[in-house]
Every structure is written in C-alpha cells, then in structure tokens.
Amino acid sequence: MDTSAPGTSIRHWPEQDRPREKLFRLGEQKLSDSELLAILLNSGGRGFSALDLSRRVLARFKSFRNMAGLDAGECQDIRGLGMTKIARIRAAIEIGRRFRSEASDGRPLKIGSSREAAEVLMPRMRDLKKEVFTVIFLNSRHRVIEMADVEEGTVNSAAPMVREIFQLALQRFAVSLICAHNHPSGDITPSAQDREFTLKIRAAGEALGVKVLDHIIVGDNAYYSFADEGGV
C-alpha cells in the first residue's frame, strides 16, 4: 500500500510510517518539514490526511519562516486550514522565536553588544508585516529582565510613547534598555522620524537615570545600530 497516497488517513498507515510514532522512534530531527507540520496540524479533512494538508501548506509558503503572521485571508483557498490550525502554526513559530532568545545556561540572557541584541531581536521581528516597537529592559549586569512589545503601528510607521517606555522601565527596576523596531520593507536605513525619536528617548533616559544603550532597526537578516553609528 502506498502510505503517501492522497486521501489515505494516517491512522490507516503502518505504525512505523506515521509521523507521530516516527518522531518517538527516530527523533524529531529525522522528520521532514511536512511530517513535523502534520503532527502540529493533527488532522486533515474529508478525503485527505494531515500530511496531505501539510504538503499543500508548504507548497504554498515554501518555508516555516514565510508562515510567520499567517492569517485566514492568506489561507482561505487551502481547504482544511481553519483558524484553529492557523493558531497552532503561529503559536509554534512564536515558541521557536522565544526559545532562540533564551540563554543556554538557563539564566537571563546577557546582552553586551548591538550584535548580541540583534541576534535576539532578528528571529522575533524580521518577518513581521507591521512595524512593531520592542524594548529590552536590562539589569545592572546587562541581563534581560524582560523584552516587551510597546507599540504596533502600520506597515511603515510606528509611534512608540516615550512616557510608556520609561514607566515600564521604572516598574521593572531596569538600569538600562535597548529599544528596537522593524522595517517590514527590509530596508534598515533610518528615517528622519527614527533619528528624532532616538534623540528624544536618549534625553528622557538621561533625565530619569535609565541608560538607553541602543536603538536598533531590524530588517531582513540585517540591522542598523544607532549606538554603533554614534547616534546614541
């Protein structure tokens, strides 16, 4: 029997060929992208399996990265991919992003340079379809207290509130912070508004005794650091 034939329910496959059983027998590293996604989706639809559905989704989006921020409008012609399955995909991608931002030794992550900050921010921000302003709050040893999204704007603009940022910083007893936002276009060139905001938040930090270490613009696998360029 061809276990990969469309419409063959996974529960009728030989046990050694089922993605879930294969994961426990061989390890998740041995599964294909479509098999991993099939486990996440859990079911297909009338006449097709979860693996059939996962192959259709991957044929459309090509990679897991391209599924970031998936919404119903992008998937309305993919039969069997409803809101529950879309939520599972988005949740799994976000878990992956957060996992990558954790320190390997279990302690709060330490950030000592713009490059290290960008490595944390890039998986979280590079694929967002709207501009989002994120702040990393740090203690006296430059370890992360919290990373919080402060403001979401339109595709090409975000209007973060300086007052809100420092209220959060003081509530968390942060000694310093790094602020960042993404450019959905992928172009990391700072705008006049970006430069103006950097001056404002730096001045506010000096007045309140919270050091603004950097303002980072995240693009597509690239970043701009105001600190590195002498702007903070």
Side-chain angles (χ1 to χ4, degrees):
M1 182 173 106
D2 180 5
T3 57
S4 65
T8 305
S9 174
I10 288 176
R11 69 176 180 271
H12 296 140
W13 294 9
E15 187 169 324
Q16 68 271 17
D17 293 330
R18 300 174 194 171
R20 190 179 303 161
E21 285 75 7
K22 191 173 175 182
L23 181 148
F24 288 114
R25 191 175 76 258
L26 301 176
E28 54 268 36
Q29 300 88 350
K30 296 294 185 181
L31 270 62
S32 66
D33 287 354
S34 57
E35 288 172 325
L36 289 170
L37 185 56
I39 292 172
L40 189 64
L41 296 176
N42 191 50
S43 63
R46 185 180 295 275
F48 59 93
S49 69
L51 189 57
D52 297 327
L53 178 57
S54 70
R55 286 169 175 162
R56 293 174 191 171
V57 173
L58 284 166
R60 165 71 64 81
F61 294 101
K62 310 302 181 188
S63 70
F64 292 126
R65 181 182 170 188
N66 290 339
M67 296 180 204
L70 202 65
D71 61 49
E74 297 175 283
C75 309
Q76 56 188 351
D77 61 332
I78 303 179
R79 189 163 63 94
L81 191 64
M83 296 301 294
T84 298
K85 291 183 173 67
I86 291 171
R88 286 176 182 163
I89 292 171
R90 290 177 58 167
I93 291 171
E94 181 59 22
I95 288 170
R97 285 175 175 155
R98 295 186 189 189
F99 175 81
R100 290 187 63 180
S101 70
E102 294 175 356
S104 58
D105 60 5
R107 292 186 297 168
L109 192 67
K110 186 174 183 178
I111 296 178
S113 67
S114 61
R115 179 184 59 79
E116 290 175 351
E119 286 175 354
V120 172
L121 293 162
M122 192 74 67
R124 180 185 179 98
M125 302 184 76
R126 66 185 174 192
D127 298 318
L128 298 175
K129 296 177 175 63
K130 293 183 179 180
E131 283 195 12
V132 172
F133 200 92
T134 297
V135 182
I136 304 174
F137 299 103
L138 304 166
N139 67 17
S140 60
R141 297 190 176 186
H142 286 197
R143 290 196 178 274
V144 175
I145 298 171
E146 184 178 338
M147 185 159 53
D149 294 339
V150 176
E151 184 81 15
E152 180 176 308
T154 62
V155 170
N156 55 16
S157 68
M161 302 298 294
V162 171
R163 179 183 298 176
E164 181 182 356
I165 289 169
F166 285 101
Q167 281 179 341
L168 292 172
L170 295 173
Q171 288 168 3
R172 286 151 180 75
F173 301 100
V175 172
S176 59
L177 62 83
I178 297 168
C179 51
H181 74 280
N182 63 306
H183 282 180
S185 67
D187 181 2
I188 58 173
T189 305
S191 66
Q193 291 83 358
D194 294 336
R195 296 184 186 280
E196 181 182 355
F197 174 79
T198 303
L199 294 174
K200 287 182 178 179
I201 197 166
R202 182 179 64 182
E206 290 173 353
L208 293 169
V210 179
K211 177 71 173 177
V212 178
L213 299 177
D214 207 344
H215 178 194
I216 292 175
I217 300 172
V218 176
D220 186 3
N221 286 326
Y223 70 93
Y224 180 94
S225 163
F226 277 88
D228 290 351
E229 300 299 327
V232 173

